[in-house]
Amino acid sequence: SQQGEEDPQALSIQEGENATMNCSYKTSINNLQWYRQNSGRGLVHLILIRSNEREKHSGRLRVTLDTSKKSSSLLITASRAADTASYFCATDAGIKAAGNKLTFGGGTRVLVKP
Amino acid sequence: EAGVTQFPSHSVIEKGQTVTLRCDPISGHDNLYWYRRVMGKEIKFLLHFVKESKQDESGMPNNRFLAERTGGTYSTLKVQPAELEDSGVYFCASSQGGSSYNSPLHFGNGTRLTVT
């Protein structure tokens, strides 16, 4: 079974709408991160939320974390065509020494139609 | 500041051949990671270098994979001999520090490997 699983696998919305995607994980974590990948490009770090935080904002991004349910959500408000990408959640190993040894979910493909 | 660069961007080889992927991390980043995404699966950790030393190679699938980072600068990942199941996208990432909290990963664009 997977450490990180995103839901939904794909999402299609109109420009200006909000996009919400969820991530579940299985083991203890120090933090959870979200990355974006545009087609054919590398992953870009978006936001990190620590295990003792419940909500974090960065521009049009809002991330929540519920450690009791081992789940996180990423909300993109007022979406733009440029937000079209795949979004991945990633969890660390829960051990500080493990650093950036991350476990990624399968990703959510978001299509924002103009 | 130049980002993480990977070469080649694409490689198509036959089963049994050898392929070497190269990664140039961001200058000054001591930590270098290899990840890969095989078709239809998640992005998975392969290994982690701190400078020239292998910190963690627990994700390397088998002994057909050999990673090196001579001099603590660029890294290579060699697959010999390549098998069909090795097809996928190989990502390199680097970070300045070793903590995921204050040193997020910077990824390269990946090398798409196709083994036929």
Side-chain angles (χ1 to χ4, degrees), chain A residues 56-69:
Chain A
K56 200 161 182 180
H57 297 255
S58 176
R60 294 184 295 112
L61 304 180
R62 172 178 169 254
V63 169
T64 64
L65 180 64
D66 186 335
T67 53
S68 67
K69 294 180 180 178

Side-chain angles (χ1 to χ4, degrees), chain A residues 2-62:
Chain A
Q2 302 168 22
Q3 165 71 338
E5 298 184 22
E6 275 100 338
D7 166 49
Q9 290 187 330
L11 183 60
S12 180
I13 56 175
Q14 292 293 138
E15 203 165 27
E17 294 180 339
N18 296 341
T20 300
M21 59 210 85
N22 304 295
C23 166
S24 61
Y25 59 93
K26 298 187 187 304
T27 61
S28 297
I29 62 172
N30 288 320
N31 59 66
L32 184 146
Q33 306 177 47
W34 285 90
Y35 284 81
R36 182 188 73 226
Q37 184 189 23
N38 292 88
S39 181
R41 305 300 296 270
L43 286 82
V44 175
H45 180 261
L46 295 177
I47 193 167
L48 178 149
I49 185 164
R50 282 173 143 174
S51 60
N52 61 356
E53 297 176 312
R54 293 295 166 257
E55 187 171 312
K56 200 161 182 180
H57 297 255
S58 176
R60 294 184 295 112
L61 304 180
R62 172 178 169 254

Side-chain angles (χ1 to χ4, degrees), chain B residues 94-112:
Chain B
S94 70
S95 63
Q96 189 164 31
S99 165
S100 59
Y101 174 66
N102 57 17
S103 291
L105 290 176
H106 297 261
F107 279 83
N109 288 340
T111 293
R112 180 173 294 278

Side-chain angles (χ1 to χ4, degrees), chain B residues 12-27:
Chain B
V12 180
I13 61 172
E14 293 183 353
K15 176 183 171 181
Q17 289 186 322
T18 297
V19 62
T20 300
L21 314 181
R22 173 171 170 144
C23 168
D24 286 78
I26 292 173
S27 178

Side-chain angles (χ1 to χ4, degrees), chain B residues 68-88:
Chain B
E68 295 180 322
R69 193 182 182 195
T70 307
T73 53
Y74 70 91
S75 174
T76 58
L77 179 64
K78 182 162 72 174
V79 185
Q80 179 183 30
E83 297 289 344
L84 298 178
E85 64 264 25
D86 301 331
S87 295

